[in-house]
Amino acid sequence: MIIIIVEPARTRRAPERAVKFAAAFRFPIAGVHKILRFFLIAAMRMPKLTIALALLVLAALASAMTYTGFLVVGVLADHLGTGRVAAGLLLAALFARFPWISKGKLRIVGVLPQPVRRPLMVGLLALCLLNFLARGEYVPAAFTGFTTTFLLAYPWLRRAIFERMLSSFLTFAGRNPPAAKDDMVIDGEFREKKE
């Protein structure tokens, strides 16, 4: 006679939860789509722990960005020969964006035009990175390099995640997701002329 004992879910111990959470990460990771699938499966299996990890990652990212901003203001203050407050106010005025209502539509305007903002930010971060590397300060250089990489990769990452989420939502809703756009493909329409 074989006896099978089933332990109720509410009496599981913490190590078993860790094993269950680790089992959620058994899928191979390659490409953005598989990474998103991986996170989605992990979130469905252990939602509380996944939310806590996501908040921890966001807090670490915000802390790294804030520290990098502090470093950029310090380097700019050194190069301009002013204090940190004046350099911070200069950067705030340069990158500020304000709501503006024009022709009945709400727009956001700033001192710098939209195409100039990102290259100027990357240029300031590259200046700070070179400054820290020339001084031999590697920890601030690592933070500045990480922020520069994130700033350059953010538009691609946002587009990839948004398109994947949209296609998943449309598939779940029963609609066909739009076909992927390829810049190298030219769509054409041919009509036969009757004589």
Side-chain angles (χ1 to χ4, degrees):
M1 178 180 219
I2 299 173
I3 298 174
I4 299 174
I5 299 172
V6 178
E7 184 181 0
R10 64 177 179 266
T11 62
R12 289 185 182 151
R13 293 181 299 273
E16 292 172 354
R17 288 185 191 160
V19 170
K20 183 180 175 187
F21 186 73
F25 295 101
R26 72 180 188 278
F27 297 98
I29 298 176
V32 174
H33 299 296
K34 290 187 179 181
I35 291 173
L36 291 174
R37 179 175 178 234
F38 162 75
F39 283 129
L40 182 65
I41 290 171
M44 290 186 336
R45 290 190 179 176
M46 297 289 289
K48 289 181 182 177
L49 190 54
T50 305
I51 289 171
L53 285 175
L55 289 176
L56 185 66
V57 168
L58 288 175
L61 182 64
S63 300
M65 297 285 203
T66 303
Y67 182 61
T68 303
F70 174 75
L71 294 172
V72 168
V73 168
V75 169
L76 189 64
D78 286 343
H79 282 289
L80 294 177
T82 62
R84 284 184 181 269
V85 174
L89 288 175
L90 177 68
L91 283 176
L94 193 62
F95 289 108
R97 297 173 80 181
F98 305 102
W100 186 266
I101 297 176
S102 174
K103 297 179 184 176
K105 293 184 180 178
L106 180 65
R107 296 178 18 197
I108 296 180
V109 296
V111 175
L112 294 174
Q114 187 68 24
V116 177
R117 293 171 64 84
R118 188 175 303 274
L120 184 60
M121 285 183 199
V122 171
L124 280 172
L125 287 169
L127 171 75
C128 293
L129 181 62
L130 291 174
N131 187 21
F132 290 131
L133 288 175
R135 291 183 189 174
E137 299 173 359
Y138 297 113
V139 174
F143 275 98
T144 309
F146 170 75
T147 303
T148 306
T149 306
F150 181 78
L151 187 65
L152 290 173
Y154 179 72
W156 172 81
L157 190 63
R158 182 181 64 180
R159 187 172 54 247
I161 290 174
F162 180 73
E163 287 175 2
R164 177 65 179 163
M165 288 175 64
L166 183 64
S167 67
S168 297
F169 177 73
L170 289 177
T171 304
F172 179 73
R175 298 185 209 157
N176 291 330
K181 295 178 183 176
D182 190 358
D183 294 336
M184 300 302 291
V185 176
I186 300 173
D187 289 333
E189 186 176 330
F190 298 96
R191 294 182 186 168
E192 189 174 326
K193 188 176 182 181
K194 295 182 180 179
E195 295 182 16

